[in-house]
Amino acid sequence: MKKIPQRLLIMTAVWCTVLGLSPAVLSATRLANAPAPFGPIPTARQLAWHDMEFYGFIHFTVNTFTDKEWGYGDESPNVFNPTDFDANQIARTAKAGGMKGLILTAKHHDGFCLWPSKYTEHSVKNSTWKNGKGDVVRELSKACKQQGLKFGLYLSPWDRNHADYGKPAYITYYRNQLCELLTSYGDLFTVWFDGANGGDGYYGGAREMRRIDNRTFYDWPNTWKIVRDLMPMACMFSDVGPDFRWVGNERGFAGEPCWATINVGDGVPGNTKANLNQGERPGANWIPPECDVSIRPGWFYHASQDAQVKTPAQLLEIYYKSVGRGACLNLNLPPDRRGQIHDNDVASLTKFRQILDQTFAKDLAQNASITASQTRANAASFGPQNVTDQDRETYWATDDDVTKAELLLDLGKPMTFNVVSLREYLPLGQRIEAFALDRWQDGRWVEFATGTSIGNRRLIRTDRVTSSRVRLRITQAGACPALSELALYVEP
Ligand code: FUL
Ligand code: CA
């Protein structure tokens, strides 16, 4: 049976979206006799986002120069004055760190715009930096392209500078800026909508408290529609999606379990009852989590935090509890007052990457012989060898009525590992609910790990295990499992 490359599925899905065809047309391109999708399933744009797994945040604005986290909105544009801004250094650092993209704060809560927006005077165009000719969004988008990184933007809904904030006119302003960004800087993989609305601010000189009703003020459905219309493949972030959600903390840790699904109900950004950290099952919406966390205590650069950059070991813990729980990791690297990533951050990120590269260089299960307790229709196209072929698009599946099943790996000789990687075949939904792993020891099976959700990726980090055979038991599933990867690694 010839497999359908996922690229083709995504292209097909893109065209389905463009042409307005139904998902039923899309499913016709799947393997014959494939299991039916279970529950909500990811869209083509979400699948592309899941594939990224690790990307970065760039928090940079007047705060970098005032030593604040939230600017009041009364900062002079001249405050923004990097001495040696180098977008290439930033993009190179991200690339070398293994990131697949960068998201820049085009405008943070203080309202200062890092691009020369035609809708406000509060931007780089009125800064002495580059005599008002600078454009951070342009330079970083170009540098990302050069490095093969995807590019995304954060446009803070809360704006402590704008005179109209809190009034209907502000929504027009906000949407104008959104259109400006979506049409001037090439493809964006994401638009990131923050949920913070702190209240007081400069507001064109009013210097007062302004409270908004976050259920109605931004009219999110119509704001989101602008992104859908102008950039159909861009995934939108907010507490409640629509494409990916906040994980509920800024420490970088997804829950255990961590479901890609939740029930949004009438939740809006900044106001939701959904369990963001673990997700919900059953859940009506496929809105997987992103773990956003800074490499330093603050989101913006502060010289006083130069000695508090997260260590490679801390970054690894974050990686295993984010990417390793099926989420994406969005790690913030704040440029310093030069406009570059500080040496301490570069050093930590580089070492972290080195360890990950060494860990994942060799799948110790690659040459194992594998048998399954059951294979769908006994067909090779759904056979167990599909979990070690390093191809996300092929998977092992069982018959529809089989939701408990086992895979047996014979490694040929004793091998030592401490990381097990599992992936579900995501286009068919999140199916597996619980599993256990056993090693063969003194003539019997000994359980060494158990887990729940898998989804895009599950990394189980254990003590070192030495064994010539490994068994995976799927102990609970909502529908017959469709597993695309089972791999074994050892950390250096
Ligand atoms: C928060 C903001 O208030 C922080 O300043 C930062 O941008 C973070 C990513 O999101 O809600
Ligand atoms: Ca596979």
Side-chain angles (χ1 to χ4, degrees), residues 412-428:
K413 57 173 198 257
M415 298 227 189
T416 301
F417 57 88
N418 78 319
V419 175
V420 183
S421 174
L422 298 169
R423 288 183 192 278
E424 285 186 88
Y425 180 64
L426 278 198
L428 297 181

Side-chain angles (χ1 to χ4, degrees), residues 193-195 197 214-215 220 224 238-241 267-272:
F193 295 108
D194 192 85
N197 283 286
N214 53 19
R215 299 210 150 270
W220 283 114
W224 290 341
S238 86
D239 292 356
V240 293
V268 294
N271 194 341
T272 172

Side-chain angles (χ1 to χ4, degrees), residues 57 59 70 108-109 154 192 194 196 250 292 299:
F57 235 161
H59 273 69
W70 281 6
H108 201 251
H109 309 329
Y154 170 121
W192 214 94
D194 192 85
E250 293 181 342
D292 64 326
W299 289 103

Side-chain angles (χ1 to χ4, degrees), residues 38-42 46 242 245 259-266 274 279-288:
F38 173 77
I41 55 169
Q46 288 172 318
R245 71 177 195 258
W259 304 110
T261 50
I262 56 167
N263 298 293
V264 167
D266 60 359
E280 290 161 327
R281 191 168 177 97
N285 315 97
W286 184 278
I287 305 181

Side-chain angles (χ1 to χ4, degrees), residues 396 405-407 422 435-437 470-474 483 486:
W396 161 63
E406 295 177 9
L407 279 184
L422 298 169
F435 62 90
L437 288 156
V470 174
R471 184 169 72 173
L472 168 71
R473 280 177 288 129
I474 311 289
L483 191 76
L486 166 52

